[in-house]
Amino acid sequence: MNLLDYPLHDTGFAERFCALHGDDYRFVPELGWLRWDGRCWLIDRTKTVIESICHAVARTGAQVDVLPPKEAEPVIRACARYQDTARLYAVEKRLQTMRSIAVAPETLNADPWLLSHAGGTVDLRAGTTRDHDRADLITRCEIGRAHV
């Protein structure tokens, strides 16, 4: 994935984040950040979203070796600027409004008959289980207990 194709500003770094990590994060204004854990969407209480933005910046900087020095320099400067906390939070703020990231609270758990657990997503009406799917926007996760 060529991260050098994006512009060197807040929106450009937000787009890089979306390209690398966009499938794993959603933002709900009333709740904050959600992170996909492989089964369901959980509140990102530790702000791993910021670490993922840092990762997108670092991955961009790692690609400059393919550029001639004159083209690489502005990218290197931008990546250095975007290691600053204020710039990282500016990217986070921009992400909160992007269509691929922001979701309305009423879209969460929209199908009340779906429940996520370790083995998949159960449709409680039909009694069937299928693979977990981010698009279901499920935040209810049943935690299995070990049987002794």
Side-chain angles (χ1 to χ4, degrees), residues 16-36:
R16 287 174 178 88
F17 170 93
C18 288
L20 292 170
H21 303 288
D23 289 344
D24 294 330
Y25 289 93
R26 293 294 175 268
F27 183 78
V28 182
E30 293 80 356
L31 296 174
W33 284 100
L34 301 178
R35 184 180 50 79
W36 177 253

Side-chain angles (χ1 to χ4, degrees), residues 1-20:
M1 171 179 318
N2 187 357
L3 300 173
L4 300 172
D5 291 339
Y6 299 94
L8 299 172
H9 49 54
D10 295 351
T11 298
F13 280 100
E15 290 169 343
R16 287 174 178 88
F17 170 93
C18 288
L20 292 170

Side-chain angles (χ1 to χ4, degrees), residues 28-31 103-111 136-137:
V28 182
E30 293 80 356
L31 296 174
V103 294
E106 60 271 12
T107 62
L108 301 175
N109 306 305
D111 185 341
D136 290 331
L137 292 174

Side-chain angles (χ1 to χ4, degrees), residues 26-128:
R26 293 294 175 268
F27 183 78
V28 182
E30 293 80 356
L31 296 174
W33 284 100
L34 301 178
R35 184 180 50 79
W36 177 253
D37 78 342
R39 298 182 310 136
C40 64
W41 293 96
L42 301 174
I43 293 176
D44 183 19
R45 298 187 194 286
T46 60
K47 291 280 237 178
T48 62
V49 68
I50 297 297
E51 277 303 309
S52 294
I53 295 167
C54 287
H55 177 255
V57 172
R59 287 275 306 270
T60 302
Q63 291 184 0
V64 297
D65 58 351
V66 300
L67 296 174
K70 280 192 174 207
E71 291 178 35
E73 186 161 329
V75 177
I76 293 167
R77 280 196 316 270
C79 289
R81 270 194 328 274
Y82 278 87
Q83 291 298 323
D84 179 73
T85 302
R87 294 276 36 97
L88 292 171
Y89 278 92
V91 173
E92 180 205 13
K93 191 76 166 166
R94 176 64 182 100
L95 282 165
Q96 293 176 14
T97 64
M98 296 181 82
R99 283 187 178 180
S100 63
I101 299 292
V103 294
E106 60 271 12
T107 62
L108 301 175
N109 306 305
D111 185 341
W113 295 100
L114 296 180
L115 177 68
S116 182
H117 73 97
T121 298
V122 178
D123 183 330
L124 297 171
R125 282 175 302 230
T128 57

